Amino acid sequence: MRSSLFAGLVGVSAVGAVKPLVDVSYSKYQGVPLGNGITQWMGVRYAAPPVGDLRFAAPSDPVKNKTTIIADTSGNICLGTGSAPSNTSSEDCLFLNVFAPTNATSDNPLPVYFFIQGGGFNTNSNPNYNGSGLIEASNHNIVVVNFNYRVGPYGFLASNEIVTGGAPNNGLRDQIKALQWVQKNIKKFGGDPKHVTIGGASAGAASVTLLLTAHNGRNDNLFHASAAESQSFAAVRSINESQFMYDNLVIRTGCTSSNDTLACLRSLNSTYLQTKNINTPFPGAEGAPLYMYGPTLDGDVVTDLTMAAYRKGNFIKLPAIYGDDTNEGTVFVPVNTSSQGESNTFLKNQFPLLTLSQIKKINKLYPNNASNQFPNSGAWWRQASDQYGELRYNCPGINISDIYAATFNRKDIYNYHWDVVDPVAAAAGRGVTHTVEIAAIWGPNNTQGNAPASYSTTNANIVPVTQAYWTSFIRSYNPNTYRLKGSPIWEAWTQGQKQRLHFVTNATAMENVDAVQKERCAYLSSIALDIKQ
């Protein structure tokens, strides 16, 4: 066992171990061995800079560079919607990071965890997480990869002009390019290209579902299991339905009079373009959505609505984890939401195809609870948060798990309910918030300061339990194989038993989905295709 050898190998290269200097054919990267028996390679290019004529184009191979690059610094983060360029963000952002045990060997490669960050496809919101915590939790038995991909208009601008002169869904194409890089190169870092688990949070979890359904569910053997945390189901529009975003950007940037509007957009410097990179309302909505840009039906990478693809069976059927947090919506809905009208307007701004009768039914399913009020917040904040959270996050994960189990009789589908209460968030009324579980999965010291303080104090005990389940799944496609001693068996979700693991500090146990949530999710599932989820 690799773990039994590790004790004598900390800080020492084992015989046959991967060397810190790695040649990936187009360049050489000098990794940095750390004192914890882990080597990291930061800022590794996996595609050419998507600038100039490559703006709005599919990713290209990196240009060959004979210079050895000291891989001790993360690459730039991709430019996000509504933000100005900074000294850590740039349009030249297609970089990844690799973390591997120092004693990893290419002869006996280790399972790979490939993490896709979130950000609503409009920002890179989980950049450069430190993979050391996961590797240590696995007893130095996995390799971790994370990366940046294009977002906002750079990654998801769609129009007839883009189809003709560029490519839609470039953010997803970047993800596929990074997965192809893993297949080609990860063995040089000690990782096994035949044992790759993709994971992601929020839009990263949406990416998991989109990669599973990509190319009409074609399996290109780029990955072999998946774990989706707070899976997000936004509307997926056609090219024609997305044309307004392109047209509005052309107008805002002054490219209207150009004979070639796409060439004009490509000629703009990113600093100027960022001043015009804003969200505008969807047709049929009163106000701008939280996230305007996103994956588009292009007939290639995205061939169907995500929920439709699952229902038709047009997805790669692999071992999977889906799950969510108790209060998915509270971090999104304006805290001052103070009337049913404001609540309904917020929901309609995100999903403009909702009809009046559908909104009426949703209001009935989610009555306002006068006792569920918090200081400095509007009287309808939590009501709006509950409906938005379940519509976009909770219920799609439950419904997908049902599809796996009922239609395809899978025995390796696992669902969870994250219900670890942080005192600060609870007091503010946010509850157990969207994607907070990634602080436990990665370890609270490895998420760029985003972990609640309680994950290092009163909730510290949940961290090793969580990490053991996740690293077990990464290693064996089963969260139970290497689970922490004394923790419960994570039972699979089945057609007859809609059960999930209920994460609570010092009280984690299996639970059934309650009848009231089943009723709500059944209705939201019935309208999923109407609103283009």
Side-chain angles (χ1 to χ4, degrees):
M1 291 291 291
R2 306 193 62 79
S3 56
S4 64
L5 295 173
F6 175 70
L9 295 174
V10 176
V12 180
S13 293
V15 176
V18 171
K19 300 295 189 292
L21 181 62
V22 178
D23 187 343
V24 291
S25 75
Y26 56 87
S27 194
K28 293 181 180 179
Y29 287 91
Q30 178 69 50
V32 179
L34 306 176
N36 56 2
I38 296 167
T39 299
Q40 63 182 24
W41 293 263
M42 313 294 285
V44 177
R45 259 190 210 284
Y46 69 88
V51 299
D53 289 343
L54 293 182
R55 180 184 283 173
F56 310 128
S60 299
D61 291 337
V63 176
K64 289 191 176 181
N65 181 353
K66 295 182 180 180
T67 304
T68 296
I69 298 171
I70 307 301
D72 61 351
T73 305
S74 300
N76 292 319
I77 300 166
C78 297
L79 295 174
T81 298
S83 64
S86 69
N87 58 3
T88 60
S89 65
S90 169
E91 195 173 357
D92 178 10
C93 61
L94 300 184
F95 298 95
L96 55 77
N97 305 316
V98 180
F99 303 84
T102 302
N103 65 331
T105 71
S106 57
D107 293 333
N108 187 19
L110 298 170
V112 177
Y113 181 53
F114 180 91
F115 178 74
I116 309 169
Q117 58 182 306
F121 296 115
N122 282 247
T123 62
N124 286 167
S125 66
N126 316 113
N128 305 319
Y129 280 7
N130 187 340
S132 294
L134 279 166
I135 292 174
E136 290 174 331
S138 74
N139 293 317
H140 293 75
N141 279 297
I142 65 172
V143 170
V144 176
V145 177
N146 56 20
F147 68 107
N148 299 324
Y149 59 94
R150 283 174 286 176
V151 291
Y154 307 96
F156 294 99
L157 190 64
S159 70
N160 292 300
E161 293 85 351
I162 292 287
V163 170
T164 300
N169 291 318
N170 285 318
L172 295 178
R173 294 177 195 272
D174 292 345
Q175 296 174 14
I176 293 169
K177 187 74 169 176
L179 282 165
Q180 292 169 340
W181 184 96
V182 166
Q183 287 300 305
K184 184 177 180 180
N185 296 295
I186 202 63
K187 198 169 184 180
K188 301 170 186 176
F189 298 81
D192 187 354
K194 297 180 181 179
H195 191 131
V196 177
T197 298
I198 59 172
S202 192
S207 298
V208 168
T209 66
L210 289 156
L211 291 170
L212 286 164
T213 58
H215 305 296
N216 210 34
R218 185 181 76 206
N219 190 352
D220 293 336
N221 294 309
L222 296 177
F223 54 89
H224 314 95
S226 67
E229 298 133 27
S230 295
Q231 60 285 310
S232 171
F233 271 61
V236 180
R237 293 169 176 79
S238 68
I239 298 295
N240 288 337
E241 290 166 335
S242 302
Q243 183 74 41
F244 81 95
M245 302 180 202
Y246 180 90
D247 293 349
N248 287 351
L249 188 61
V250 167
I251 292 169
R252 290 198 302 274
T253 55
C255 286
T256 314
S257 299
S258 174
N259 292 329
D260 186 338
T261 56
L262 182 56
C264 181
L265 289 177
R266 282 174 166 155
S267 72
L268 303 173
N269 69 64
S270 58
T271 300
Y272 173 73
L273 188 54
Q274 280 300 96
T275 66
K276 308 301 179 185
N277 181 8
I278 60 173
N279 290 326
T280 59
F282 291 127
E286 291 185 44
L290 295 167
Y291 308 110
M292 180 179 70
Y293 295 105
T296 306
L297 288 164
D298 63 359
D300 177 21
V301 176
V302 183
T303 57
D304 205 345
L305 299 178
T306 312
M307 193 60 76
Y310 272 96
R311 290 175 182 175
K312 295 173 184 176
N314 296 333
F315 66 98
I316 310 171
K317 300 160 189 70
L318 302 171
I321 290 174
Y322 293 98
D324 49 71
D325 306 271
T326 303
N327 307 106
E328 287 281 356
T330 52
V331 297
F332 298 107
V333 177
V335 177
N336 61 354
T337 301
S338 57
S339 68
Q340 185 174 86
E342 291 177 1
S343 170
N344 293 165
T345 298
F346 172 84
L347 200 62
K348 179 82 169 175
N349 287 344
Q350 317 311 316
F351 294 96
L353 294 180
L354 282 167
T355 65
L356 293 179
S357 62
Q358 289 167 345
I359 293 173
K360 180 179 179 181
K361 176 65 174 179
I362 291 172
N363 287 340
K364 185 176 180 180
L365 289 171
Y366 297 88
N368 192 26
N369 185 349
S371 64
N372 199 18
Q373 304 297 316
F374 295 87
N376 304 312
S377 65
W380 287 75
W381 170 46
R382 288 298 296 265
Q383 185 270 351
S385 299
D386 290 345
Q387 61 183 16
Y388 179 67
E390 290 203 335
L391 176 60
R392 184 157 180 166
Y393 301 101
N394 302 77
C395 291
I398 290 172
N399 293 329
I400 290 174
S401 299
D402 268 347
I403 290 169
Y404 271 100
T407 310
F408 302 101
N409 198 31
R410 299 289 304 198
K411 305 298 184 185
D412 50 8
I413 306 306
Y414 305 91
N415 195 287
Y416 71 88
H417 168 201
W418 190 262
D419 199 23
V420 176
V421 177
D422 172 65
V424 175
R430 296 190 300 273
V432 183
T433 56
H434 178 65
T435 73
V436 70
E437 69 271 37
I438 59 177
I441 293 169
W442 286 78
N445 297 323
N446 302 308
T447 56
Q448 302 287 349
N450 293 326
S454 68
Y455 280 43
S456 298
T457 56
T458 55
N459 282 317
N461 287 347
I462 201 65
V463 175
V465 172
T466 307
Q467 290 190 312
Y469 282 124
W470 253 260
T471 56
S472 178
F473 185 77
I474 292 164
R475 294 171 65 185
S476 67
Y477 308 143
N478 186 323
N480 299 300
T481 310
Y482 304 104
R483 76 185 188 277
L484 197 67
K485 184 178 180 180
S487 59
I489 291 177
W490 189 342
E491 302 286 355
W493 181 286
T494 66
Q495 182 178 7
Q497 193 74 26
K498 303 182 192 306
Q499 55 187 349
R500 59 193 179 185
L501 190 61
H502 185 206
F503 282 94
V504 179
T505 300
N506 301 323
T508 296
M510 295 301 298
E511 70 171 11
N512 294 322
V513 179
D514 67 73
V516 177
Q517 187 173 41
K518 285 181 184 178
E519 178 188 5
R520 294 193 302 261
C521 288
Y523 177 72
L524 296 179
S525 175
S526 75
I527 66 172
L529 300 188
D530 295 342
I531 60 176
K532 301 208 170 219
Q533 284 183 305

